[in-house]
Amino acid sequence: MTGPRHADRPSHTEGSPLNPDTLEVAPGAVHESVQGWVPKLATEEELRIALEKAFDYRGDVTLTLKDNSKIEGYLFDRTTGSSLATSFVRVLPKDSNQKLKIAYADIAALAFTGRDTAAGKSWEAWVGKYWEKKATGKGDLSLQPESLE
């Protein structure tokens, strides 16, 4: 006994009103540019929102603590608690290999000071440059990533 074949389904037959090319397309994510932004941190909610954006940011941030010390580095982790004292960010300082854990309650200011290393970089742009170089025979064709410096 055999059942219907997958290929015999109405959506897979010729003249089908469903177009697989349009069904498979999903909109991409739009990334907000925060490079250079210094958010106002007047309320607890503004601090939490700014730190979430800092966590998603692909560059360095500068945290000014309430004791007026500054830490510049990459914010790589965060733990959100019920209060600012129980919420923490973890930072890799620019000039050290030490990982710092800083309470939200200790943060007085935040600035997105580093270059967003992924801004303007997309797979499509890279592939386009690769094929352009290949077609003209110019440049060193390598599948190694370009330097970020």
Side-chain angles (χ1 to χ4, degrees):
M1 176 174 188
T2 62
R5 296 181 318 143
H6 182 72
D8 293 332
R9 290 178 48 199
S11 63
H12 290 82
T13 58
E14 285 185 40
S16 171
L18 299 177
N19 181 346
D21 291 331
T22 59
L23 292 175
E24 297 296 324
V25 177
V30 176
H31 293 284
E32 176 183 8
S33 176
V34 293
Q35 185 171 319
W37 181 45
V38 180
K40 183 176 105 177
L41 305 178
T43 67
E44 179 177 330
E45 183 66 19
E46 289 172 339
L47 176 63
R48 288 182 182 275
I49 290 169
L51 288 171
E52 275 302 308
K53 290 183 182 197
F55 175 71
D56 290 336
Y57 189 59
R58 297 151 299 190
D60 286 347
V61 298
T62 300
L63 298 174
T64 302
L65 304 183
K66 290 188 176 172
D67 66 2
N68 286 328
S69 63
K70 291 189 180 208
I71 299 168
E72 183 177 5
Y74 182 72
L75 195 153
F76 71 95
D77 192 15
R78 86 278 191 227
T79 303
T80 55
S82 58
S83 71
L84 294 182
T86 60
S87 300
F88 298 91
V89 293
R90 292 178 60 204
V91 179
L92 288 169
K94 190 174 185 177
D95 55 358
S96 168
N97 289 332
Q98 180 184 4
K99 296 175 185 172
L100 302 177
K101 183 177 178 181
I102 302 164
Y104 282 25
D106 295 336
I107 299 171
L110 166 68
F112 292 80
T113 51
R115 182 176 72 89
D116 185 346
T117 58
K121 306 280 184 184
S122 71
W123 174 250
E124 293 82 10
W126 183 87
V127 169
K129 287 180 188 176
Y130 177 85
W131 285 111
E132 182 180 320
K133 286 180 183 178
K134 185 169 183 152
T136 61
K138 296 179 184 175
D140 178 25
L141 291 178
S142 171
L143 294 178
Q144 300 301 316
E146 295 175 5
S147 171
L148 295 176
E149 298 299 317

